[in-house]
Amino acid sequence: MPESTYLALLLIGLLGGTHCVVMCGGIVAALSMGGPARSSLHLAYNAGRIVSYAAAGAIVGALGEASLALSGQLPLRSALFLLANLMLIALGLYLMGLTRALAFTERFGQKLWRHLQPLTRHFLPARSIRQAFPLGLLWGWLPCGLVYSALATALTSGSALHGAGLMLAFGAGTLPNLLLAGLLAARLQAYARNRTLRLASGTLILGFGVWGLIGLTRLLIGRSPFAT
């Protein structure tokens, strides 16, 4: 797994942070009511969230590894890579407000979330690390097109370890925005909805997807029996 893929997911998490603030801003703002220890609450919550991302990455990475072992390597790997980059393009357009194409992916996770969401009530209001960390673990499974786009890339990693590592990188990218959201609360949520910022973030993420498709096209042309 190239190191550039880890960097790409780190940047995607950072650039997609406006979406994170909109999706998770409410729960993060609630942690700000935890009193003097609120910084530790935010860190514990985000640690739990990122652990869940890594667990999901390990699962899809293992599934990708099993799929590659059961079929011809190049065709399936190319198909998975194509899917991952199309998801990034859709995410970029989604953040730019040009399409709701990723909304359907969030519906896939709703069934699991309906079972997990009631459990979050046991940890709210979160006034201690023992409450904030498991709250983050649960909230990490919130249906989210941004997370699913990252998971599509983790699916191409070829192993549970690399899948988990990619999602750790992605989670680390989302961390600055959500930590700031905890400190600035509503002010940062309004900033995250700024159209210019969302257009810029979406354009850059779309660029990652287009660049990946260009690389895949070059690879396939290079392996074509008609290539000169």
Side-chain angles (χ1 to χ4, degrees):
M1 177 60 58
E3 292 182 3
S4 59
T5 308
Y6 289 89
L7 177 60
L9 276 195
L10 177 72
L11 292 175
I12 287 166
L14 184 62
L15 293 169
T18 54
H19 183 67
C20 291
V21 172
V22 172
M23 292 286 287
C24 300
I27 189 70
V28 170
L31 292 175
S32 298
M33 302 175 185
R38 65 184 186 183
S39 295
S40 61
L41 294 184
H42 287 296
L43 287 172
Y45 163 79
N46 282 289
R49 181 177 58 84
I50 293 171
V51 166
S52 287
Y53 290 169
I59 292 169
V60 300
L63 289 174
E65 182 180 19
S67 299
L68 291 171
L70 294 172
S71 65
Q73 288 272 337
L74 181 62
L76 182 58
R77 189 176 293 276
S78 298
L80 293 177
F81 195 68
L82 175 65
L83 171 65
N85 285 285
L86 288 176
M87 286 284 287
L88 290 181
I89 291 173
L91 173 62
L93 295 173
Y94 183 56
L95 291 177
M96 294 163 71
L98 299 179
T99 180
R100 293 283 299 169
L102 275 186
F104 82 94
T105 65
E106 295 177 356
R107 288 196 290 271
F108 284 122
Q110 285 292 345
K111 188 171 183 179
L112 173 63
W113 183 239
R114 279 197 295 268
H115 293 288
L116 294 179
Q117 187 177 25
L119 299 177
T120 64
R121 297 170 192 156
H122 297 296
F123 306 105
L124 286 171
R127 294 194 175 93
S128 68
I129 291 175
R130 287 186 297 177
Q131 292 172 305
F133 181 76
L135 180 64
L137 285 175
L138 292 169
W139 210 261
W141 299 96
L142 176 74
C144 174
L146 177 65
V147 175
Y148 295 160
S149 298
L151 284 172
T153 300
L155 185 64
T156 69
S157 65
S159 77
L161 181 61
H162 285 309
L166 286 172
M167 291 307 292
L168 281 174
F170 166 78
T174 66
L175 190 56
N177 288 287
L178 285 178
L179 285 177
L180 280 174
L183 297 174
L184 302 179
R187 185 181 302 178
L188 189 62
Q189 288 193 60
Y191 177 68
R193 289 184 169 90
N194 182 278
R195 177 151 179 81
T196 301
L197 178 63
R198 290 178 67 86
L199 279 172
S201 299
T203 300
L204 288 169
I205 291 176
L206 186 148
F208 278 115
V210 171
W211 183 256
L213 289 181
I214 291 172
L216 176 61
T217 301
R218 288 176 175 171
L219 174 65
L220 293 178
I221 291 175
R223 289 179 175 270
S224 170
F226 302 104
T228 56

